[in-house]
Amino acid sequence: MNAETLLAAAREAAEKAYAPYSRFRVGAALLLSDGAVVTGANIENRSYGLTNCAERTAVFSAVAAGRRDFAALALFCPDADYPVPPCGACRQVISEFTRKDFPIYFAGGRGEPVHTTIGELYPHDALRELADQPRPSPPPR
Ligand code: THU
């Protein structure tokens, strides 16, 4: 699947945003290694601080469904007049499950989409060595 198709899926996902406070809708589409796509949208809360970004909604949905084989991520912000990249918190979460060359495409309601990688967006990723360490399975109960 190409970047344009994945961005189209992210654009459609933005329609599911729950953003009554910011009125800023965001959609994400996460491509998996077998071509499946998991989407997400931002979900706000009246407490404001509990808002979940579109990217994290998509990543957490995929992981909760047993999928961590991420191939690419697209982000679409229809309410922005320029391409909006993933926020810092989402960069950290994306980096948990991806290598530095993981492709990220982001676009706004206007402007040319940007094609980049998690390594470009998050070059000094915090605690990489912890994610790279093989971890033993939890002991049986
Ligand atoms: N938002 C995202 O969903 N992803 C980003 O990377 C940037 C911010 C959401 C959070 C909030 O609901 C709204 O956009 C305004 O910040």
Side-chain angles (χ1 to χ4, degrees):
M1 178 177 296
N2 63 20
E4 203 183 331
T5 310
L6 200 60
L7 279 163
R11 180 201 290 257
E12 200 175 315
E15 288 168 27
K16 308 262 184 7
Y18 175 71
Y21 304 105
S22 72
R23 302 252 162 224
F24 189 85
R25 297 164 296 169
V26 187
L30 187 58
L31 180 66
L32 306 181
S33 60
D34 63 355
V37 175
V38 176
T39 59
N42 53 330
I43 302 169
E44 298 187 343
N45 188 271
R46 62 187 183 277
S47 74
Y48 287 47
L50 291 175
T51 290
N52 205 64
C53 292
E55 305 90 303
R56 277 178 290 142
T57 303
V59 168
F60 294 156
S61 293
V63 174
R67 301 296 300 266
R68 299 176 200 163
D69 51 324
F70 302 170
L73 176 81
L75 188 63
F76 196 92
C77 299
D79 302 318
D81 55 9
Y82 61 95
V84 177
C87 81
C90 289
R91 294 177 198 200
Q92 173 72 18
V93 168
I94 294 162
S95 80
E96 183 73 19
F97 301 104
T98 59
R99 304 267 168 216
K100 292 211 171 286
D101 62 353
F102 178 74
I104 296 182
Y105 316 120
F106 56 92
R110 281 195 217 162
E112 279 301 302
V114 175
H115 293 195
T116 184
T117 63
I118 189 65
E120 287 275 326
L121 289 175
Y122 198 31
H124 300 285
D125 54 344
L127 301 171
R128 175 81 259 167
E129 64 283 6
L130 291 183
D132 286 342
Q133 265 166 24
R135 277 154 288 187
S137 306
R141 282 197 275 171

